[in-house]
Amino acid sequence: MPTNGALTWLIPDAYLAAPADDDPINKNHESICILNVSPDDANVIFDFYFEDREAVEGIAITVGAKRCPHVRLDKPEQLGGYQIPFDVPYGVRVRSDVPISVQYSRMYASGGKIESLITTIAYPVE
C-alpha cells in the first residue's frame, strides 16, 4: 500500500516580513499547511535554520489524524511560544512520525489589501 506524503520536508527560503500596518486580517505572514491523511495523529517537529545565528530546533506540535492545519508562523502561540524573528531569512525542516504533506505560503499585505502571495510545496526528503 503506497504512503501519502513523507516524514521530512525542507523549506529553504522563508522570510517573515515585519507587519506593514495594524490591519488584523490582511497582514504580512507566512504559513505552513500540513496535510495528515493518516488515521494516526502526527507528531511534528519544526527546526529553524538561520544564516547568522544558531538554529532553533525541536519546536513540537501535534496534527490530528485526517486534519489539515495552517500553522501561522507570525503567531508564536502556534509554535509553542517561539517567535520567529522579523526580516531575517531562514529555512525550515519539518519532521513527522507519520507521512504528511507540507505546503509553504508567504503573503505581503498593506493598507488592508493583499499585495502578493506565493505558495509552494516543500521539498520532501526520502
Side-chain angles (χ1 to χ4, degrees):
M1 184 165 123
T3 61
N4 292 290
L7 297 178
T8 302
W9 295 82
L10 302 176
I11 304 166
D13 180 25
Y15 185 87
L16 182 58
D21 54 38
D22 292 331
D23 185 339
I25 307 265
N26 293 316
K27 66 179 189 174
N28 297 338
H29 71 270
E30 295 175 298
S31 62
I32 293 177
C33 179
I34 300 171
L35 176 59
N36 177 11
V37 299
S38 166
D40 301 311
D41 289 352
N43 296 300
V44 176
I45 304 292
F46 293 100
D47 301 317
F48 299 96
Y49 299 91
F50 303 92
E51 180 178 350
D52 62 349
R53 60 192 78 190
E54 292 299 313
V56 175
E57 299 174 303
I59 305 295
I61 67 167
T62 299
V63 175
K66 299 186 178 187
R67 295 289 184 257
C68 185
H70 290 72
V71 180
R72 286 276 301 261
L73 301 178
D74 61 317
K75 296 188 176 192
E77 64 272 18
Q78 293 187 15
L79 292 172
Y82 176 62
Q83 173 65 61
I84 294 172
F86 290 115
D87 300 325
V88 173
Y90 66 97
V92 185
R93 177 174 61 180
V94 181
R95 296 176 285 153
S96 176
D97 60 349
V98 300
I100 57 173
S101 294
V102 174
Q103 180 176 345
Y104 167 80
S105 299
R106 182 187 308 159
M107 185 177 84
Y108 291 111
S110 65
K113 65 180 180 180
I114 297 172
E115 293 181 2
S116 67
L117 174 70
I118 65 165
T119 189
T120 188
I121 297 296
Y123 179 78
V125 178
E126 295 186 24

